[in-house]
Amino acid sequence: MSWFKRIFGKEPLEKSRQAEVKQANISFAEFNYPTKIILAWIKALEGHEELTKFLYENGYEEIFFMNQAILLKQESRDWLMKNGYPHLMAFINAAEGNESAQHWLQVHGFDFLYHAAMAIEGEESGFKWLNQHSDEFVFSLIKTIKKVKDQIEFNHNDMYSFGKDL
């Protein structure tokens, strides 16, 4: 028995607050896209408005909202959570350095999204895993997301463009 428990009758907060992650009992929408959609996704993320509109109007609205969420739009982040895409929101949060989201992706078996997020975070192991387990189009998508996220971070830290997202 620890001295803390003898005096206060309970364990210190560190021991009692250990988080336990359980497998969520929800179904997730698919994350499987044809090559031409991935290429359109890359261009839309780079700012091509016609392709952004095309994706939104032709059954790929989750890509539209994911791009907006990557650009830090809270209403799009909420949309992803409410419409069956919590794994995409976890991916975005993990790519922003959120360790809980990284762990969530691992627990729920989203290996691709976990390693992609780690690559976006700059982890060499993430890029190595992607190089072995994805094609050049998906690899290019992840590099584009990294480029956008890096630019947002640069703008947030730059004294001349402080707080500007893009």
Side-chain angles (χ1 to χ4, degrees):
M1 179 180 279
S2 72
W3 67 270
F4 193 89
K5 188 172 183 178
R6 278 184 276 155
I7 293 173
F8 297 106
K10 60 182 178 179
E11 288 296 320
L13 289 177
E14 293 83 36
K15 289 185 180 180
S16 64
R17 286 192 179 176
Q18 291 178 349
E20 183 180 325
V21 178
K22 296 180 181 177
Q23 185 77 18
N25 189 19
I26 54 178
S27 61
F28 301 106
E30 289 291 318
F31 186 84
N32 192 9
Y33 301 103
T35 302
K36 67 181 181 178
I37 297 302
I38 293 173
L39 292 173
W41 186 349
I42 291 168
K43 289 299 183 185
L45 193 54
E46 291 173 342
H48 195 285
E49 291 188 25
E50 287 181 38
L51 287 173
T52 300
K53 184 178 177 183
F54 168 82
L55 291 169
Y56 182 75
E57 293 175 349
N58 289 283
Y60 297 100
E61 54 192 16
E62 73 278 5
I63 293 175
F64 170 82
F65 285 106
M66 186 172 172
N67 283 356
Q68 296 301 307
I70 288 168
L71 298 173
L72 307 177
K73 307 298 184 207
Q74 186 59 45
E75 55 277 355
S76 294
R77 291 172 176 240
D78 295 340
W79 186 95
L80 289 171
M81 293 300 292
K82 291 176 186 172
N83 289 282
Y85 299 97
H87 56 304
L88 298 182
M89 196 57 240
F91 162 71
I92 293 167
N93 284 326
E96 293 170 349
N98 184 315
E99 291 179 12
S100 296
Q102 293 167 359
H103 183 67
W104 188 91
L105 289 170
Q106 288 179 307
V107 166
H108 289 86
F110 291 104
D111 293 333
F112 167 75
L113 293 177
Y114 169 76
H115 290 287
M118 298 314 294
I120 293 167
E121 266 290 281
E123 295 288 330
E124 188 65 32
S125 62
F127 280 115
K128 286 180 182 178
W129 190 93
L130 286 173
N131 198 26
Q132 294 174 350
H133 295 92
S134 67
D135 61 28
E136 65 269 16
F137 303 107
V138 171
F139 196 83
S140 183
L141 172 64
I142 300 308
K143 284 176 47 180
T144 302
I145 294 171
K146 179 175 178 29
K147 181 179 166 185
V148 169
K149 295 304 277 176
D150 288 349
Q151 185 62 49
I152 290 170
E153 187 171 346
F154 176 81
N155 288 349
H156 280 214
N157 294 326
D158 180 42
M159 65 186 253
Y160 297 108
S161 58
F162 184 76
K164 181 180 174 188
D165 292 337
L166 270 183

